[in-house]
Amino acid sequence: MTESAFIHRFEPATSAGSAPLLLLHGTGGDENDLLGLGKMISPGSALLSPRGRVLEHGMPRFFRRLAEGVFDEDDVRRRARELGDFVSEARQRYGIAAPVAVGFSNGANIAAALLLLQPDVLAGAILLRAMVPLSDPPKAELSGKPVLLLSGQADPIVPASNSARLAALLSQAGAGVTHKVLPAGHQLSQADVTLARDWIVNVAAEAA
């Protein structure tokens, strides 16, 4: 597998020291979808934005699902491995550090799977409207890895109990999880942008 197996966009950093971002779109999105969000969250960061390789009724996704909220978990594991390989090869090609994933919906779910299956691939993650990706995840070692989980109080797709379970799962693996429930549905709001931007600044300050 080569990194060219993923159609993607890469924008180099314009500010030294800013963590690179891995941008992972939701169902029906593509490699252009979250570039604007990435620039708002962390101006100056390198941006690596792949397009999901699974098609559902012509809409790109990062893994197959059997129904709304029901994932093909074998495919989740396989696609997470492919994405991890892509990130490793893209890091060599573009000369970037381990990225912080910024995933929305399906993209947040594959980012959560990547954290659990290949913890070394990511430096951290911003998970926007994420669900538990695996019913029987492996024991991951996420000691101190920063994760921001932003859920919508009125999200018709992600039950509150599911996002709470994801937060607990990542915390038990050692991640430094910040979980906030916003007065929003499944779509993103300005509050998501503001909270994500502030979180990135705090993570960078603590790393320094």
Side-chain angles (χ1 to χ4, degrees):
M1 150 119 188
T2 64
E3 53 83 30
S4 60
F6 277 84
I7 296 169
H8 67 280
R9 290 275 303 272
F10 177 75
E11 297 203 0
T14 58
S15 172
S18 299
L21 303 183
L22 173 67
L23 303 174
L24 301 168
H25 63 76
T27 300
D30 64 20
E31 66 279 11
N32 301 303
D33 253 34
L34 298 187
L35 292 173
L37 178 66
K39 290 172 184 174
M40 286 190 282
I41 288 174
S42 186
S45 283
L47 304 176
L48 178 63
S49 185
R51 182 192 301 180
R53 300 176 68 213
V54 173
L55 289 179
E56 182 181 274
H57 307 302
M59 298 185 295
R61 283 175 54 85
F62 286 98
F63 59 83
R64 290 182 62 232
R65 61 181 168 184
L66 307 176
E68 186 78 72
V70 182
F71 304 153
D72 179 337
E73 296 196 12
D74 288 340
D75 198 56
V76 171
R77 292 172 187 271
R78 182 163 71 93
R79 301 296 179 176
R81 279 196 303 274
E82 288 180 356
L83 183 60
D85 289 347
F86 162 75
V87 172
S88 298
E89 293 169 20
R91 283 186 61 190
Q92 289 189 327
R93 174 176 176 178
Y94 297 120
I96 58 174
V100 172
V102 179
F104 168 62
S105 192
N106 177 244
N109 298 336
I110 196 69
L114 203 51
L115 281 171
L116 294 166
L117 294 166
Q118 297 190 58
D120 293 341
V121 170
L122 299 176
I126 296 172
L127 306 177
L128 306 166
R129 311 300 186 267
M131 298 179 70
V132 175
L134 296 165
S135 57
D136 185 24
K139 285 190 76 69
E141 175 48 62
L142 297 174
S143 185
K145 209 173 282 281
V147 176
L148 176 63
L149 176 59
L150 298 179
S151 305
Q153 193 173 30
D155 192 330
I157 296 172
V158 185
S161 59
N162 191 293
S163 52
R165 196 161 83 247
L166 177 59
L169 181 65
L170 295 172
S171 295
Q172 287 159 11
V177 177
T178 302
H179 182 203
K180 294 188 180 295
V181 180
L182 307 180
H186 196 67
Q187 294 306 310
L188 300 182
S189 67
Q190 182 57 44
D192 290 282
V193 176
T194 302
L195 287 166
R197 187 173 58 224
D198 292 348
W199 180 86
I200 281 266
V201 168
N202 289 336
V203 166
E206 288 172 12

